[in-house]
Amino acid sequence: MNQFRSPDLVTDVPLPPHAYVPGQNARHPEDWFDAIKASVTADLPVIALDQTAAWHAGRAYFDAGYFWECHEVLEAVWMHCPDPSPERAMVQALIQLANARLKLRMDKPRASLRLCDMVDGHLAQCSGVETVLGITVHEIAQDAEKTRSDVRKCII
């Protein structure tokens, strides 16, 4: 997968003891992500969201295959973004991409494909902008296409 990361991200973020997969293993304690999500404060300018622990953890979790956890922490970033905005659309695209990868892991290929279509829709809202919060729209589009390819391999 064409991962959207900086090389040190995964080692700089503490990973939960396991990647949560609904119906397959135990969910993390409710407060596990509180400190990470708290890095997104009400007074934080949108242009600084990519400097928060929540953003970095979301990216690291995705890259490490912790897709549910990625969604959990990126939601705090998404909620802080103005609606509409390229930042909000990009964060939504990342959340849905993580969900698509999670659904693929859960052997729900149709749901994964639907989520990839949602990723495309969110990325379309970034038209005219090449990079949002340090990630190029093209990178995320490639990751969505890679997810579709992985789905096709599973159902053939």
Side-chain angles (χ1 to χ4, degrees):
M1 181 168 300
N2 176 29
Q3 308 203 344
F4 49 90
R5 70 270 66 303
S6 84
D8 299 331
L9 231 63
V10 175
T11 59
D12 292 345
V13 174
L15 296 176
H18 63 273
Y20 173 56
V21 180
Q24 294 182 19
N25 57 20
R27 189 171 168 166
H28 305 296
E30 286 298 319
D31 62 350
W32 177 271
F33 305 100
D34 287 353
I36 295 169
K37 293 190 287 188
S39 68
V40 181
T41 59
D43 61 337
L44 186 70
V46 173
I47 60 168
L49 285 171
D50 62 346
Q51 302 304 309
T52 63
W55 180 253
H56 286 274
R59 291 179 59 195
Y61 289 164
F62 184 94
D63 292 344
Y66 286 69
F67 303 119
W68 184 90
E69 295 79 1
C70 171
H71 177 163
E72 184 71 14
V73 297
L74 285 183
E75 194 168 79
V77 178
W78 171 77
M79 290 173 55
H80 190 72
C81 294
D83 187 15
S85 70
E87 293 83 8
R88 187 175 182 97
M90 177 58 83
V91 177
Q92 286 178 300
L94 295 174
I95 287 170
Q96 296 308 346
L97 184 58
N99 286 338
R101 296 303 299 183
L102 179 61
K103 294 301 183 191
L104 182 58
R105 184 175 289 161
M106 295 170 67
D107 198 28
K108 297 184 178 196
R110 287 188 181 96
S112 184
L113 291 174
R114 271 194 314 275
L115 288 160
C116 286
D117 291 343
M118 293 174 73
V119 170
D120 293 343
H122 294 306
L123 293 177
Q125 296 174 35
C126 298
S127 67
V129 181
E130 187 174 315
T131 302
V132 181
L133 297 174
I135 299 176
T136 69
V137 172
H138 180 72
E139 283 179 90
I140 303 310
Q142 283 184 316
D143 281 347
E145 190 49 44
K146 171 72 168 93
T147 300
R148 285 186 184 92
S149 176
D150 291 346
V151 168
R152 288 189 287 274
K153 290 175 191 171
C154 290
I155 56 180
I156 292 178

